[in-house]
Amino acid sequence: MLAVVGSVRFSAFCQSDEPKVTRYNGKVSQQFVMNRDTPIIDHATGKRISYETYDNMLKRSPGQYKTQPVFDKYGKASSFEIIKKSQLYVQQDGSVMNNPDLMPEIGEPIAPFVMRGLDGREYDSEKLRGKYILLGFWVRYEKPLYTLASTKVISNFVDENKKKGIDIISLGTTLNTEEECLEAIPKRNCGFIPVPESYGFNHRYKISETPYFILVDRKGIVRAMAPHTEFSKISELVLR
């Protein structure tokens, strides 16, 4: 078996006229395990290769390649790809930045997802057509990023639209387990339904800054995107 550790850096910047969120310069590391039966994709060709071919590539060019997980619509690492390090945003400490060029784009359909909320419900993007969806990408529900101030702008946006008859399905990804979510989420309205152990979606959508938000319209099209410090790009939209 081979353990693959993926690291991603995140940051959030403060601006005077936006919600104040402390800058986060940490990195997140997760371990994913692959074996001989795990699907492996050659990034250069887009084709599946055998474990033997993969192993030979690493032996022929030691230190030139990196193996990284590929996340499916359930936010799980269902396969892996081998890619030249020269094509990645590799930092001096070995961590890899998500490529912002690969993030969802406004005006394009959101890649499908199936999330299971803390409420026990399954949220399938294909079955949510006809509703607005607000996807919030977090690391953990804890300070300095997760605070009353940081969630109030979200709950206000959802509540104000609900008064107008517009329901928004608001979901928040996190590394937290279900037990940790129950402990971290207060009884007050935080503006979203927590999705325990769903950090794989941050990888799937190449989120490189957190907290980050994507608003999807009734047709499944990305309507707006913004980091928390620029949430007004979303909250000031007039939804119909």
Side-chain angles (χ1 to χ4, degrees), residues 25-183:
N25 286 321
K27 67 178 182 178
V28 176
S29 295
Q30 292 176 280
Q31 188 176 78
F32 306 98
V33 179
M34 61 180 290
N35 55 43
R36 291 181 176 274
D37 297 323
T38 304
I40 304 173
I41 309 298
D42 181 352
H43 180 82
T45 64
K47 296 181 179 180
R48 181 172 177 174
I49 59 176
S50 66
Y51 187 90
E52 288 70 24
T53 299
Y54 162 77
D55 194 39
N56 287 332
M57 290 174 69
L58 295 181
K59 290 178 179 178
R60 285 198 308 268
S61 304
Q64 298 300 307
Y65 288 96
K66 186 173 182 65
T67 306
Q68 60 182 21
V70 178
F71 294 84
D72 58 24
K73 69 177 183 179
Y74 299 97
K76 305 301 181 184
S78 56
S79 62
F80 289 79
E81 70 173 352
I82 180 171
I83 182 172
K84 287 186 176 181
K85 287 186 177 180
S86 60
Q87 296 178 272
L88 296 169
Y89 291 5
V90 182
Q91 308 300 296
Q92 291 184 350
D93 63 0
S95 63
V96 177
M97 284 284 290
N98 271 321
N99 187 345
D101 290 337
L102 300 178
M103 290 178 66
E105 294 188 7
I106 295 175
E108 297 294 328
I110 188 74
F113 66 81
V114 178
M115 299 183 183
R116 182 167 293 280
L118 188 62
D119 57 0
R121 294 181 58 188
E122 182 177 273
Y123 295 89
D124 185 331
S125 59
E126 299 298 317
K127 297 179 181 178
L128 292 176
R129 293 291 177 85
K131 297 180 181 294
Y132 281 96
I133 306 169
L134 180 65
L135 298 177
F137 300 90
W138 301 78
V139 179
R140 291 185 181 277
Y141 301 142
E142 58 188 28
K143 294 181 178 180
L145 301 182
Y146 179 80
T147 63
L148 172 60
S150 67
T151 60
K152 189 170 180 57
V153 292
I154 307 167
S155 58
N156 285 349
F157 172 63
V158 173
D159 289 344
E160 287 171 9
N161 277 281
K162 188 173 184 179
K163 293 176 183 177
K164 301 174 185 177
I166 299 174
D167 286 329
I168 300 173
I169 303 298
S170 182
L171 304 167
T173 68
T174 180
L175 278 168
N176 291 116
T177 63
E178 181 175 345
E179 291 73 18
E180 289 171 338
C181 285
L182 288 171
E183 182 177 347

